[in-house]
């Protein structure tokens, strides 16, 4: 009997050693490919790097007995720069997974390379639904949200309030086009119509001509299909022209960093749909406080998504006993994601993480009781009600 126990113990030790040996290069390396200096640096940037490191620290900076490292780089919102950095990371830097990707075009550029190199991508800020279409990858997870889910919550709420006619001011690149397309679909499905569109260069500074065209259209809602500083500048200029007194200005992607930049006096009353709000419940508040201690500001949904993606990836490696990309993705698809950021999350075959979202309304200055106390939670939106259906264009949906 004693010999049997010794044999069992030796077998157990051997199995642990075998699991540890399944980590490539004896290190699990996370790459945060982000905008460190440009228009999206506030909503992603160094905050995303902090978020990834918080996830690694939560795992003790180890998985399967091997060290976890986080590296970062500035892709400058350029697909070619992102692709070159990713190749270098995969070929020379031993990077296993890349996350963040402000601008969907950078995510799409890297996803194909990652598939060729057998590595994982987990966009948190790359939101175009094109990522889930013909460019979908079995090794990709669009972690936080996408343009359809963002549009679905906000557009449905406003159309139901009787705001039927819409005018789009759209950033003229992949993300803006996707948000406009998905927003239009939701508006029309709910009985509204789009009366006009203006497309502005990315990034943009002067929105006066676009806003005046939107004002002249007399649309009930002026929808902003842009993000970051573009959204902030457009809202501020709409206030200067007094447009918001007669028409609703509705940014379809608004981060808490944007509202912080606008100020509650200009942003008050706006509806928005978000994947995460720091003050939603005890779990979100506790994690956000850890982030605040390092970043000196509250996390955006994109930054929080990097934390959730990194933590879930590391947990999937632990469950799979290996960092082999297909095995890790298989585990991610088996898991239900519940953490301080994502609630009731399930990863689909096409790479969409379907989870509950929040419909929020910006508080008035009088309603706000403390710094970063910016939103009233109007409702919790079930993932299956706001995320897009699987696209036929994605071959993974046919298997």
């Amino acid at each position: 009997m004693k010999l049997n126990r010794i044999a069992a113990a030796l077998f157990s030790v051997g199995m642990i050693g075998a699991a540890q040996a399944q980590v490539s290069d004896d290190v699990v390396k996370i790459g945060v490919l982000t905008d460190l200096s440009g228009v999206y640096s506030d909503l992603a940037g160094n905050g995303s790097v902090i978020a990834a490191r918080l996830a690694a620290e939560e795992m003790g900076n180890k998985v399967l007995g091997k060290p976890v490292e986080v590296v970062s780089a500035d892709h400058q919102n350029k697909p070619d720069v992102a692709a070159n950095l990713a190749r270098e990371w995969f070929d020379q830097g031993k990077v296993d997974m890349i996350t963040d990707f402000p601008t969907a075009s950078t995510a799409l550029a890297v996803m194909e390379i990652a598939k060729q190199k057998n590595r994982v991508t987990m966009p948190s800020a790359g939101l175009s639904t094109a990522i889930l279409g013909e460019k979908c990858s079995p090794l990709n997870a669009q972690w936080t949200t996408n343009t359809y889910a963002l549009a679905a919550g906000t557009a449905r709420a406003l159309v139901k309030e009787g705001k039927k006619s819409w005018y789009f001011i759209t950033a003229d690149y992949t993300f803006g086009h996707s948000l406009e397309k998905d927003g239009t679909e939701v508006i029309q499905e709910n009985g509204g119509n789009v009366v006009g569109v203006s497309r502005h260069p990315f990034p943009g500074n002067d929105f006066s001509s676009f806003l005046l065209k939107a004002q002249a259209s007399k649309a009930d809602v002026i929808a902003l299909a842009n993000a970051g500083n573009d959204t902030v500048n457009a809202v501020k200029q709409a206030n200067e022209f007094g447009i918001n007194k007669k028409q609703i200005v509705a940014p379809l992607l608004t981060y808490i960093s944007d509202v912080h930049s606008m100020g509650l006096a200009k942003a008050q009353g706006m509806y928005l749909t978000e994947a995460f709000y720091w003050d939603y419940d005890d779990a979100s508040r506790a994690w956000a406080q850890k982030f605040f201690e390092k970043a000196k500001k509250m996390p955006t949904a994109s930054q929080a998504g990097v934390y959730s993606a990194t933590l879930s990836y590391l947990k999937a490696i632990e469950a799979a006993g290996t960092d082999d990309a297909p095995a890790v993705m298989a585990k991610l698809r088996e898991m239900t994601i519940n953490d301080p950021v994502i609630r009731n999350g399930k990863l689909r075959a096409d790479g969409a993480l379907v989870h509950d979202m929040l419909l929020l309304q910006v508080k008035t200055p009088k309603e706000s009781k403390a710094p970063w106390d910016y939103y009233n939670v109007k409702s919790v939106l079930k993932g299956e009600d706001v995320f897009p259906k699987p696209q036929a264009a994605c071959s993974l949906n046919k298997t």
Side-chain angles (χ1 to χ4, degrees), residues 31-193:
V32 181
L33 200 50
T34 188
D35 176 357
L36 290 169
S37 57
V39 65
Y40 295 150
S41 57
D42 199 25
L43 66 89
N46 189 56
S48 294
V49 182
I50 290 171
R53 288 181 174 151
L54 284 172
E57 289 171 11
E58 194 167 320
M59 297 290 289
N61 289 310
K62 285 190 175 182
V63 63
L64 297 178
K66 301 298 182 181
V68 176
E69 297 179 13
V70 175
V71 298
S72 62
D74 188 347
H75 63 30
Q76 303 171 44
N77 299 315
K78 297 177 180 178
D80 57 336
V81 173
N84 289 334
L85 286 166
R87 285 193 187 92
E88 182 178 338
W89 273 358
F90 291 147
D91 293 340
Q92 302 170 29
K94 302 178 181 179
V95 169
D96 299 288
M97 184 273 278
I98 303 181
T99 185
D100 207 11
F101 300 105
T103 68
S105 54
T106 60
L108 289 164
V110 174
M111 282 167 55
E112 184 61 31
I113 299 168
K115 185 165 63 173
Q116 295 168 7
K117 303 290 185 180
N118 197 38
R119 308 295 171 87
V120 173
T121 49
M122 301 180 77
S124 175
L127 307 182
S128 171
T129 48
I131 289 172
L132 308 175
E134 63 180 15
K135 301 291 187 180
C136 68
S137 164
L139 302 182
N140 181 69
Q142 190 179 49
W143 202 254
T144 310
T145 188
N146 56 54
T147 50
Y148 187 93
L150 291 169
T154 305
R156 282 176 185 161
L158 288 173
V159 173
K160 285 179 181 178
E161 287 188 0
K163 310 305 180 184
K164 300 285 188 178
S165 61
W166 291 61
Y167 190 103
F168 274 89
I169 296 177
T170 302
D172 195 10
Y173 76 107
T174 304
F175 159 75
H177 298 169
S178 181
L179 192 51
E180 177 195 310
K181 173 182 174 294
D182 294 332
T184 298
E185 183 177 332
V186 172
I187 291 161
Q188 292 175 342
E189 284 177 351
N190 287 271
N193 66 301

Side-chain angles (χ1 to χ4, degrees), residues 331-339 343-346:
K331 281 297 177 185
L332 282 171
R333 289 188 171 92
E334 291 175 7
M335 296 161 60
T336 298
I337 309 300
N338 279 302
D339 58 35
R343 312 301 164 89
N344 303 312
K346 294 295 291 185

Side-chain angles (χ1 to χ4, degrees), residues 92-362:
Q92 302 170 29
K94 302 178 181 179
V95 169
D96 299 288
M97 184 273 278
I98 303 181
T99 185
D100 207 11
F101 300 105
T103 68
S105 54
T106 60
L108 289 164
V110 174
M111 282 167 55
E112 184 61 31
I113 299 168
K115 185 165 63 173
Q116 295 168 7
K117 303 290 185 180
N118 197 38
R119 308 295 171 87
V120 173
T121 49
M122 301 180 77
S124 175
L127 307 182
S128 171
T129 48
I131 289 172
L132 308 175
E134 63 180 15
K135 301 291 187 180
C136 68
S137 164
L139 302 182
N140 181 69
Q142 190 179 49
W143 202 254
T144 310
T145 188
N146 56 54
T147 50
Y148 187 93
L150 291 169
T154 305
R156 282 176 185 161
L158 288 173
V159 173
K160 285 179 181 178
E161 287 188 0
K163 310 305 180 184
K164 300 285 188 178
S165 61
W166 291 61
Y167 190 103
F168 274 89
I169 296 177
T170 302
D172 195 10
Y173 76 107
T174 304
F175 159 75
H177 298 169
S178 181
L179 192 51
E180 177 195 310
K181 173 182 174 294
D182 294 332
T184 298
E185 183 177 332
V186 172
I187 291 161
Q188 292 175 342
E189 284 177 351
N190 287 271
N193 66 301
V194 175
V195 298
V197 175
S198 291
R199 290 180 172 163
H200 68 81
F202 167 74
N205 292 310
D206 184 1
F207 293 88
S208 56
S209 63
F210 310 116
L211 287 166
L212 291 173
K213 287 180 182 178
Q215 183 181 41
S217 75
K218 298 183 179 179
D220 298 323
V221 181
I222 300 172
L224 302 179
N226 51 20
N229 289 344
D230 286 350
T231 300
V232 172
N233 289 334
V235 170
K236 287 181 176 179
Q237 289 170 35
N239 274 264
E240 290 169 5
F241 291 136
I243 292 173
N244 60 320
K245 295 178 181 179
K246 295 184 178 180
Q247 294 163 289
I248 292 173
V249 179
L252 295 183
L253 172 60
T254 309
Y255 289 102
I256 196 168
S257 55
D258 302 328
V259 174
H260 188 72
S261 295
M262 294 172 199
L264 290 182
K266 291 183 172 66
Q268 61 182 311
M270 288 193 322
Y271 279 99
L272 59 138
T273 304
E274 269 286 33
F276 170 82
Y277 175 41
W278 73 269
D279 201 21
Y280 175 63
D281 63 12
D282 289 343
S284 60
R285 283 188 286 271
W287 179 78
Q289 187 57 44
K290 293 178 183 178
F291 181 94
F292 186 87
E293 288 170 3
K294 293 182 179 292
K296 307 307 178 189
K297 59 182 181 179
M298 285 301 175
T300 66
S302 176
Q303 292 161 343
V306 169
Y307 158 81
S308 176
T310 303
L311 183 66
S312 299
Y313 174 74
L314 295 174
K315 287 183 174 180
I317 290 176
E318 192 172 61
T322 177
D323 65 350
D324 176 66
V328 173
M329 291 302 296
K331 281 297 177 185
L332 282 171
R333 289 188 171 92
E334 291 175 7
M335 296 161 60
T336 298
I337 309 300
N338 279 302
D339 58 35
V341 178
I342 300 296
R343 312 301 164 89
N344 303 312
K346 294 295 291 185
L347 184 61
R348 290 194 321 214
D350 61 358
L353 181 68
V354 178
H355 60 92
D356 294 348
M357 300 279 288
L358 301 174
L359 180 65
L360 307 169
Q361 189 172 26
V362 180

Side-chain angles (χ1 to χ4, degrees), residues 355-386:
H355 60 92
D356 294 348
M357 300 279 288
L358 301 174
L359 180 65
L360 307 169
Q361 189 172 26
V362 180
K363 291 183 174 182
T364 66
K366 288 184 179 180
E367 289 177 308
S368 179
K369 304 303 182 186
W372 301 96
D373 174 27
Y374 290 163
Y375 299 144
N376 288 314
V377 178
K378 303 299 289 183
S379 62
V380 176
L381 308 172
K382 295 299 180 184
E384 57 267 26
D385 294 333
V386 292

